[in-house]
DNA sequence: GTCTATATCATGATAGAC
DNA sequence: GTCTATCATGATATAGAC
């Protein structure tokens, strides 16, 4: 019942999450120490254990904060498509755009930390401990199921197994593109501002992915040497 | 001038490299300690510093051992294509197959450690310290330049900037596919043996990438809602 | 070349004053 | 809720016997 300001309650938590997101991205989960991130956040070392309980619980919180809304947005975008075209078969390209949009928009959020998170997410597919992989898979599962079903309806003639692989390829292209926009020298020659232009990236990615998804089922008969 | 067996000279080095490759893949560069990897290799803790000088130098050695031959094989495959069709324009698909072949073959090498390395490589695009990224970029550079030039000749009508992005997307799809074949639950439904069948993967990837690379330049005009 | 033993330091976590 | 101080552990690296 005190009259003290109520601000500090969430602020420390948020500052820790922001710092953790950036440092986990830069140094990995093991490489970023709690001392590093509490120093960056300007909070006391013990605050992490007070607010989150352990380093591992902090890692989970970092992912949940961003992934939950991102996948909600993905599902909402798909819902909108289906409501706007009731009963009709959706074009694969529009499903692709609905899926990649929420992730792409995040890379424009440099100040709010979204870009850091996107790159952190990219590393997560290969690096982390099993427990983290399981968490990510769990958080992604609902959106993935919805999109898988949408693609199956949009491409009824494609064998299920081939479709699963092509979804996997698309997922990989997106993950890599979002994660590595800073790091890969190949892209270094491009205009720097293009790397974070979500609209341009969406056009380029949508064209590439749509063509890949619709690739002919029998590979072209090539005349071997 | 002793008559002792000469085997031990290289064996310790190799055992350390094999163990490091696997443990760096599983736990990351910071997460895998020298104690862990010397224990796995069955060598003494001090042997790493004797043979490599430091942990960082060991990491470099791990990459050089595999990347050098892999890129040599890639360049050789492109050379062969150009020799077999002198003066003629190469089909984009054959260039793609020449590039992805050496990496794909590695995932079949479970026993020799190639599969471990491929997954280790995948994480490297997003995770590592700048010094490692620089090393990787340096080791890749010759092959990337050759292939970039080959694609430019094969697709003279495509704007250079769009081509760079499409090469980037292809590179990402390959990297992700190779790196994540174990981890992603989406693919878990497939027949497990298919994940490591290089021939099947090459067919699937080549179809997807070729279509993506050749995607129409203006995205389909879609009737928005 | 290989080993034991150890120096030096950083880590995650916690106890307890305020 | 926040701080200081500290514990127990495990890290890289090295010195020196064999």
């Amino acid at each position: 019942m005190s009259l003290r300001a109520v601000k500090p309650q969430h602020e420390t938590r948020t500052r820790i999450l922001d710092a953790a997101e950036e440092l986990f991205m830069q140094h990995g989960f093991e490489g970023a120490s709690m001392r590093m991130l509490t120093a960056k956040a300007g909070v006391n070392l013990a605050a992490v254990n007070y607010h989150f309980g352990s380093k591992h619980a902090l890692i989970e919180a970092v992912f949940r904060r961003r992934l939950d809304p991102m996948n909600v947005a993905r599902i909402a975008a798909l819902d909108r498509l289906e409501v706007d075209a009731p009963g009709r078969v959706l074009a694969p390209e529009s499903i692709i755009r609905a899926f990649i949009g929420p992730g792409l928009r995040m890379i424009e959020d440099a100040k709010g930390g979204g870009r850091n998170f996107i790159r952190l997410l990219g590393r997560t597919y290969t690096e982390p401990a099993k427990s983290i992989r399981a968490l990510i898979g769990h958080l992604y599962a609902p959106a993935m199921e919805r999109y898988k079903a949408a693609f199956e309806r949009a491409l009824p003639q494609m064998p299920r197994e081939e479709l699963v692989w092509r979804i996997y390829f698309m997922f990989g292209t997106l993950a890599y593109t979002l994660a590595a926009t800073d790091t890969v020298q190949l892209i270094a020659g491009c205009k720097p501002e293009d790397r974070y232009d979500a609209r341009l990236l969406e056009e380029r990615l949508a064209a590439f992915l749509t063509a890949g998804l619709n690739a002919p089922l029998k590979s072209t008969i090539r005349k071997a040497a």
Side-chain angles (χ1 to χ4, degrees), chain A:
Chain A
M1 287 266 182
S2 90
L3 290 173
R4 282 191 66 250
V6 282
K7 280 199 306 188
Q9 48 188 1
H10 286 154
E11 207 176 286
T12 299
R13 261 187 76 98
T14 304
R15 295 236 302 269
I16 292 172
L17 286 171
D18 288 341
E21 185 166 77
E22 180 167 351
L23 290 172
F24 286 153
M25 179 271 285
Q26 285 171 359
H27 303 104
F29 300 113
E30 312 230 26
S33 72
M34 295 178 61
R35 280 173 176 78
M36 282 167 69
L37 64 90
T38 50
K40 187 176 190 75
V43 304
N44 189 269
L45 171 62
V48 172
N49 283 303
Y50 177 80
H51 284 282
F52 297 94
S54 71
K55 187 179 184 178
H56 185 87
L58 169 62
I59 294 173
E60 288 204 11
V62 166
F63 281 107
R64 285 184 182 280
R65 177 172 70 147
R66 303 274 189 193
L67 272 188
D68 285 339
M70 188 164 112
N71 282 318
V72 165
R74 282 182 165 143
I75 291 175
L78 192 49
D79 285 340
R80 238 175 291 127
L81 284 180
E82 290 173 346
V83 165
D84 288 351
R88 270 187 290 157
V89 173
L90 296 177
E93 179 168 351
S94 60
I95 305 175
I96 288 172
R97 285 177 186 265
F99 187 81
I100 68 181
L104 284 169
R105 252 168 274 132
M106 253 193 191
I107 70 162
E108 293 198 325
D109 174 32
K111 208 171 155 200
R115 187 181 297 171
N116 286 336
F117 178 75
I118 282 295
R119 291 182 53 196
L120 173 62
L121 189 57
R123 84 183 317 161
T124 306
Y125 303 115
T126 47
E127 180 205 54
K130 283 194 211 93
S131 59
I132 299 181
R133 281 214 304 271
L135 171 70
I136 303 288
H138 179 69
L139 295 177
Y140 261 110
M144 285 305 272
E145 280 312 306
R146 284 277 278 119
Y147 273 84
K148 186 156 167 275
F151 281 122
E152 283 174 355
R153 276 194 301 274
L155 297 156
Q157 80 291 358
M158 186 175 294
R160 292 294 161 96
E161 195 170 271
E162 184 66 27
L163 179 59
V164 167
W165 279 97
R166 292 190 179 182
I167 294 174
Y168 176 64
F169 294 152
M170 289 194 296
F171 197 70
T173 311
L174 176 65
Y176 182 88
T177 300
L178 294 178
T181 34
D182 266 351
T183 67
V184 176
Q185 66 171 27
L186 173 66
I187 224 67
C190 286
K191 282 170 264 166
E193 70 271 21
D194 283 4
R195 268 181 266 172
Y196 302 121
D197 183 330
R199 198 194 54 78
L200 246 178
L201 256 180
E202 179 172 330
E203 293 308 314
R204 293 197 159 113
L205 259 175
F208 183 90
L209 297 177
T210 302
L213 178 61
N214 287 316
L217 279 172
K218 267 288 168 196
S219 70
T220 317
I221 313 290
R222 296 205 40 71
K223 182 184 40 156

